Amino acid sequence: MSEFENQSLQAAGKPPYLLTPGPITTTDTVKAAMLRDWGSWDGDFRQMTRQLCDQLLEVANAKTSHVCVPVQGSGTFAVEATLGTLVPKNGKVLVLMNGAYGKRLAQTLDYLGRDYVTLDKGDYLPPMPDEVENILKADSAITHVAVIHCETSSGILNPVPEIAEVVARLGRRLIIDSMSAFGAIPVDARNLPFDALISSANKCFEGVPGFGFSLIRRSALEQSKGNAHSLSLDLYEQWTYLEKTGQWRFTPPTHVVAAFLQAMKEHAEEGSVAGRLARYSRNQQRLVAGMKELGFRTLLNEKWLSPIIVTFLSPQHDNFDFNTFYDRIKAKGFVIYPGKLTVVDSFRLGCIGQLYDEQIDQVLAAIKTVLAEMQIDSGYAELPEENAVTAA
Ligand SMILES: *Cc1c(COP(=O)(O)O)cnc(C)c1O
């Protein structure tokens, strides 16, 4: 698309594409699914909730072992609800941390008053299975391990299957924050042992925001009565009420659920997890190749890049200013995402949502033009602690 056409689109009021980790750009059909009202107690809506839960369990091959408990709110509500419900008051959690979302797990446990220890790998290294093994062997009080599947702050894909194997072998329980991975990264409960896997409506399933859900091992949930610190975030009560009545305990986000069912239909039509993974991987590769041509560098070593979101180092050129860069790219029809790292200046480009080759090429063209406008000859930046990063 030419610069002119692009500007015309903007002038015509077409909203920008979101290159963010959620909310993401959804299809018109997903949005259109919200154009009617449902009664929360009504049989139609109860049927929709059942379908939602069945389909999510299906995606993870978890129908016989796990149950799906949806909960109102954003993804963090679902994480807090899951930790509060499954970790008993005398439990102890090993939190695997390598970014902002791992930190949030620890912060949540602080609020909940649950004991925990951390393995903190900084911003760009994954927690390794042997490290987890050593910590678990040295501390028999640890009951649970909590890990982020794709740590969205850097985009790193953590080695969850290998960690799950260690945790199961040592008889502990695993809680996975798979918020930005489930739906695009394969999860098979038959050979990936977990007590809970948490995600939300508005990431890889490409629905609109409004609820999260937790796939919880039935036997673990059955033992969790009375653990929760919070009325509205008690997933044991949410589940038993759902089982008994087919209804959510409190007002459900009816329109969001309707949109999600449409999104699940489109997910299946795209080839389910494999299809979505293929498109997101293609987006990521095209994006990274194009950005490299402009001189940009990724924060992570190639082998840890996820197909979900990629962190790029901010150009070290004196003319670079993130807000100007952001505004100018937005004016060309794309919303990018600021960095969320503690040590280096960076920004992120998401690969998820309704993005295809055409949009990737357009965003690359927009970035190229903006660099020229800002008189920045290259996106290049030196990597901090170069050795630490490349050693990974
Ligand atoms: C998006 C996300 C969350 C939840 O964020 P909300 O803003 O509460 O929806 C949690 N963990 C990870 C890894 C995420 O990417």
Side-chain angles (χ1 to χ4, degrees):
M1 184 179 299
S2 74
E3 183 65 20
F4 175 74
E5 284 168 315
N6 216 339
Q7 279 169 1
S8 307
L9 268 184
Q10 287 296 290
K14 191 171 167 24
Y17 283 95
L18 305 178
L19 277 85
T20 66
I24 40 78
T25 300
T26 58
T27 61
D28 288 343
T29 37
V30 163
K31 288 185 269 284
M34 293 184 282
L35 292 175
R36 62 156 282 192
D37 306 304
W38 288 266
S40 62
W41 45 266
D42 184 70
D44 290 347
F45 188 72
R46 280 182 287 167
Q47 170 58 29
M48 286 159 66
T49 298
R50 187 168 322 122
Q51 193 185 333
L52 165 100
C53 290
D54 285 350
Q55 288 179 2
L56 287 170
L57 288 166
E58 189 79 52
V59 171
N61 272 324
K63 263 192 161 154
T64 55
S65 49
H66 293 68
V67 298
C68 170
V69 190
V71 64
Q72 298 90 332
S74 83
T76 304
F77 291 59
V79 173
E80 186 163 2
T82 302
L83 289 172
T85 302
L86 292 187
V87 180
K89 296 196 170 69
N90 61 357
K92 181 173 181 180
V93 184
L94 168 60
V95 179
L96 307 182
M97 250 162 44
N98 55 343
Y101 290 100
K103 286 207 173 76
R104 191 178 292 175
L105 291 176
Q107 191 188 10
T108 308
L109 292 166
D110 279 331
Y111 270 87
L112 298 179
R114 300 296 197 272
D115 196 12
Y116 68 89
V117 286
T118 64
L119 169 63
D120 188 352
K121 300 303 301 273
D123 277 338
Y124 35 72
L125 295 177
M128 298 307 280
D130 58 329
E131 297 174 301
V132 175
E133 177 153 6
N134 291 339
I135 295 172
L136 292 182
K137 280 182 170 161
D139 187 348
S140 61
I142 296 170
T143 52
H144 293 72
V145 176
V147 64
I148 307 289
H149 202 167
C150 171
E151 174 49 79
T152 321
S153 52
S154 64
I156 196 167
L157 194 56
N158 283 325
V160 166
E162 294 81 359
I163 289 169
E165 186 278 318
V166 169
V167 173
R169 179 155 48 77
L170 297 180
R172 318 302 169 86
R173 298 164 173 277
L174 184 66
I175 296 174
I176 307 169
D177 172 348
S178 189
M179 207 67 63
S180 63
F182 189 51
I185 305 294
V187 168
D188 187 339
R190 293 171 309 187
N191 45 43
L192 178 79
F194 61 84
D195 264 17
L197 180 134
I198 307 150
S199 192
S200 72
N202 60 281
K203 296 210 176 180
C204 298
F205 285 103
E206 301 191 358
V208 303
F211 71 88
F213 55 87
S214 195
L215 306 185
I216 306 179
R217 186 180 299 285
R218 179 186 281 271
S219 57
L221 190 56
E222 281 167 353
Q223 291 162 19
S224 68
K225 185 177 168 65
N227 282 347
H229 61 296
S230 155
L231 172 72
S232 56
L233 297 180
D234 186 340
L235 294 187
Y236 176 84
E237 293 298 333
Q238 180 89 326
W239 174 59
T240 50
Y241 191 80
L242 202 61
E243 289 278 283
K244 206 163 61 202
T245 65
Q247 296 170 41
W248 304 44
R249 268 182 316 162
F250 309 118
T251 303
T254 48
H255 300 78
V256 178
V257 170
F260 194 75
L261 288 177
Q262 176 62 30
M264 289 286 286
K265 183 165 173 274
E266 294 173 16
H267 182 263
E269 284 164 1
E270 194 174 2
S272 196
V273 173
R276 196 134 292 181
L277 178 61
R279 175 162 61 86
Y280 290 173
S281 300
R282 190 178 159 89
N283 285 347
Q284 187 251 73
Q285 283 155 18
R286 205 173 179 91
L287 202 52
V288 170
M291 290 295 280
K292 281 187 173 162
E293 267 177 44
L294 299 176
F296 286 94
R297 298 186 69 184
T298 58
L299 171 78
L300 298 175
N301 187 305
E302 201 96 15
K303 77 175 184 196
W304 295 114
L305 291 180
S306 69
I308 308 299
I309 189 166
V310 182
T311 300
F312 294 94
L313 301 177
S314 295
Q316 61 198 22
H317 199 285
D318 285 344
N319 287 354
F320 186 79
D321 167 66
F322 178 76
N323 291 331
T324 309
F325 186 65
Y326 177 95
D327 288 342
R328 285 174 179 261
I329 295 170
K330 183 177 173 190
K332 299 184 191 320
F334 300 92
V335 166
I336 67 169
Y337 213 57
K340 203 174 193 170
L341 301 176
T342 47
V343 288
V344 282
D345 281 338
S346 62
F347 64 92
R348 291 176 286 174
L349 297 177
C351 312
I352 67 177
Q354 282 298 294
L355 302 172
Y356 297 82
D357 288 356
E358 189 187 347
Q359 285 75 39
I360 300 299
D361 290 348
Q362 287 167 12
V363 78
L364 288 167
I367 290 172
K368 184 175 182 174
T369 307
V370 168
L371 284 181
E373 286 170 6
M374 293 174 76
Q375 299 185 321
I376 296 171
D377 55 354
S378 162
Y380 183 79
E382 205 75 43
L383 274 173
E385 300 168 51
E386 187 94 39
N387 293 337
V389 178
T390 46

